Amino acid sequence: MPTVGMDDTGDEEQRRIAEHIEWQKQGAWVVVWGAYTRCFWAYACWPVVPESGVVISARDPHTLYAEMRYVEREHDFLRWRYGRA
Protein backbone atom coordinates (compact mmCIF):
# COMPACT_ATOMS: atom_id res chain seq x y z
CA MET A 1 0.00 0.00 0.00
CA PRO A 2 1.53 3.34 -1.01
CA THR A 3 2.22 5.92 1.65
CA VAL A 4 -0.09 8.94 1.46
CA GLY A 5 1.69 11.89 -0.11
CA MET A 6 4.61 9.84 -1.43
CA ASP A 7 4.99 9.02 -5.10
CA ASP A 8 7.31 6.11 -5.95
CA THR A 9 7.12 6.86 -9.68
CA GLY A 10 10.67 7.05 -10.99
CA ASP A 11 12.38 6.41 -7.65
CA GLU A 12 14.01 3.20 -8.89
CA GLU A 13 15.36 4.98 -11.96
CA GLN A 14 16.66 7.85 -9.81
CA ARG A 15 18.41 5.33 -7.54
CA ARG A 16 20.06 3.77 -10.59
CA ILE A 17 21.22 7.19 -11.73
CA ALA A 18 22.71 7.83 -8.27
CA GLU A 19 24.48 4.46 -8.39
CA HIS A 20 25.87 5.28 -11.85
CA ILE A 21 27.21 8.66 -10.72
CA GLU A 22 28.84 7.01 -7.70
CA TRP A 23 30.38 4.38 -10.00
CA GLN A 24 31.70 7.11 -12.33
CA LYS A 25 33.36 8.84 -9.39
CA GLN A 26 35.21 5.62 -8.46
CA GLY A 27 34.57 5.65 -4.74
CA ALA A 28 35.36 9.33 -4.17
CA TRP A 29 31.71 10.10 -3.40
CA VAL A 30 28.73 8.32 -1.89
CA VAL A 31 25.68 9.26 -3.96
CA VAL A 32 22.07 8.53 -3.02
CA TRP A 33 18.57 9.45 -4.15
CA GLY A 34 16.42 10.89 -1.38
CA ALA A 35 12.90 9.58 -1.96
CA TYR A 36 11.46 11.96 0.64
CA THR A 37 13.48 15.04 -0.34
CA ARG A 38 13.20 14.27 -4.08
CA CYS A 39 16.88 15.23 -4.42
CA PHE A 40 20.18 13.57 -5.19
CA TRP A 41 22.69 13.74 -2.34
CA ALA A 42 26.46 13.36 -2.65
CA TYR A 43 28.88 12.95 0.26
CA ALA A 44 32.58 13.47 -0.41
CA CYS A 45 34.73 10.70 1.04
CA TRP A 46 38.33 11.58 0.25
CA PRO A 47 40.81 12.86 2.84
CA VAL A 48 41.34 16.38 1.48
CA VAL A 49 37.83 17.70 2.22
CA PRO A 50 37.33 20.02 5.20
CA GLU A 51 37.00 18.34 8.57
CA SER A 52 33.29 19.19 8.63
CA GLY A 53 32.82 17.28 5.36
CA VAL A 54 31.15 18.17 2.08
CA VAL A 55 27.53 17.35 1.26
CA ILE A 56 25.86 18.41 -1.97
CA SER A 57 22.22 18.12 -2.96
CA ALA A 58 20.52 18.80 -6.27
CA ARG A 59 17.16 18.06 -7.84
CA ASP A 60 18.68 16.76 -11.07
CA PRO A 61 21.77 14.64 -11.81
CA HIS A 62 23.37 17.18 -14.15
CA THR A 63 23.41 19.89 -11.50
CA LEU A 64 24.66 17.42 -8.91
CA TYR A 65 27.53 16.31 -11.16
CA ALA A 66 28.49 19.91 -11.94
CA GLU A 67 28.53 20.80 -8.25
CA MET A 68 30.62 17.73 -7.47
CA ARG A 69 33.18 18.79 -10.09
CA TYR A 70 33.25 22.31 -8.67
CA VAL A 71 33.91 21.02 -5.15
CA GLU A 72 36.62 18.67 -6.45
CA ARG A 73 38.43 21.61 -8.05
CA GLU A 74 37.91 23.80 -4.98
CA HIS A 75 39.56 21.23 -2.69
CA ASP A 76 42.35 20.05 -5.06
CA PHE A 77 40.81 16.60 -5.37
CA LEU A 78 42.55 15.88 -8.68
CA ARG A 79 45.96 16.67 -7.20
CA TRP A 80 45.25 14.29 -4.32
CA ARG A 81 43.78 11.58 -6.58
CA TYR A 82 46.34 11.65 -9.36
CA GLY A 83 49.34 13.37 -7.76
CA ARG A 84 49.44 16.15 -10.34
CA ALA A 85 51.28 19.33 -9.49
Side-chain angles (χ1 to χ4, degrees):
M1 177 175 203
T3 305
V4 175
M6 297 299 290
D7 180 9
D8 290 337
T9 306
D11 279 345
E12 190 59 38
E13 182 178 345
Q14 301 298 61
R15 285 186 193 100
R16 286 189 192 119
I17 291 169
E19 288 172 2
H20 182 73
I21 293 171
E22 186 173 323
W23 173 79
Q24 285 180 315
K25 291 300 189 173
Q26 302 174 350
W29 294 84
V30 173
V31 181
V32 296
W33 167 250
Y36 180 76
T37 62
R38 314 305 297 166
C39 289
F40 291 95
W41 293 86
Y43 303 87
C45 52
W46 68 87
V48 294
V49 296
E51 191 174 299
S52 60
V54 174
V55 179
I56 299 170
S57 68
R59 295 227 177 254
D60 68 90
H62 303 292
T63 303
L64 181 78
Y65 203 86
E67 288 293 319
M68 292 165 72
R69 294 294 305 262
Y70 174 79
V71 168
E72 289 172 353
R73 286 190 301 274
E74 183 179 36
H75 296 288
D76 288 329
F77 168 75
L78 295 176
R79 184 176 302 156
W80 171 81
R81 180 83 170 204
Y82 302 109
R84 296 182 181 159

